[in-house]
Amino acid sequence: NNISVVDRAERPSFPSSPKLLVNMMMALVAGTALGVASAFGLEYMDDTFKSPEDVESSLAMPVVGVIPKPKSGMSVSDAAGDARSGMSEAYRSLRTALQFASADGFPRTLVVTSSRPSEGKSTTCVSLATTLTQIGMKVLLIDADLRNPSLHKYLTLSNEMGLSNYLAGAKLPQEVAQDT
């Protein structure tokens, strides 16, 4: 009863909010700034080695060799077994670099290790041993990975006894060594 219409409301010709063009421009500027900042942040936090020169400058150690990944569709064992592959050639270059690394020739003891699993330690050991035997050297490979030994798989050998039997005092070195 107490309500009366004073003025009729008029419909505006355009909405007052949201201002689509202004919002789109602000989103574009903010997105671009955030993307550039993220790219610089990721680049700043990236501490991986991208080239042999990065390794030499960061660690102050010479790079002895670089082993490429096999071609797509080719397994690592096939690439390492193919004498004409880039991977085999890289292992031969590594052998040569190790031969000339000291005045005494190839080192009598060589340890192959890495910080993470599946980085090619076993492949490197077997391939390097193969290249050494090709030039007439005798090689003793010791698989010291007691949790996950794998050299016996590469060389199709028995895994019944090995380094742990020798370390426990149950076997002599001649008894755990296997010829290939």
Side-chain angles (χ1 to χ4, degrees):
N1 288 346
N2 298 339
I3 298 174
S4 63
V5 176
V6 177
D7 287 326
R8 289 239 171 250
E10 294 182 27
R11 293 194 113 177
S13 59
F14 58 91
S16 63
S17 180
K19 296 182 178 168
L20 190 60
L21 187 60
V22 172
N23 288 350
M24 291 291 280
M25 293 303 285
M26 286 177 27
L28 179 67
V29 169
T32 302
L34 186 62
V36 168
S38 296
F40 278 115
L42 288 173
E43 183 63 30
Y44 177 75
M45 292 182 349
D46 183 17
D47 60 352
T48 58
F49 299 122
K50 299 198 178 20
S51 69
E53 292 78 21
D54 291 346
V55 175
E56 289 179 345
S57 64
S58 296
L59 301 178
M61 298 178 79
V63 174
V64 180
V66 177
I67 309 299
K69 289 184 179 180
K71 295 177 183 175
S72 62
M74 190 176 222
S75 71
V76 173
S77 58
D78 289 343
D82 181 12
R84 294 182 299 168
S85 72
M87 192 175 205
S88 291
E89 181 60 35
Y91 280 117
R92 286 191 294 272
S93 296
L94 175 62
R95 175 195 66 201
T96 304
L98 288 171
Q99 280 179 308
F100 295 113
S102 70
D104 298 330
F106 200 88
R108 291 191 45 83
T109 305
L110 185 67
V111 176
V112 178
T113 186
S114 71
S115 59
R116 289 184 274 160
S118 300
E119 288 188 328
K121 297 175 289 291
S122 298
T123 303
T124 297
C125 288
V126 171
S127 297
L128 194 55
T130 302
T131 62
L132 289 171
T133 58
Q134 288 170 349
I135 61 169
M137 293 181 75
K138 291 186 178 182
V139 179
L140 174 64
L141 275 176
I142 300 175
D143 192 352
D145 189 350
L146 300 179
R147 285 183 282 160
N148 187 22
S150 61
L151 284 180
H152 68 281
K153 295 174 192 170
Y154 279 93
L155 302 170
T156 59
L157 297 172
S158 169
N159 192 26
E160 293 175 9
M161 67 178 129
L163 181 62
S164 58
N165 299 102
Y166 169 71
L167 293 175
K171 299 284 183 184
L172 295 172
Q174 305 87 300
E175 297 173 321
V176 296
Q178 300 181 50
D179 287 334
T180 60

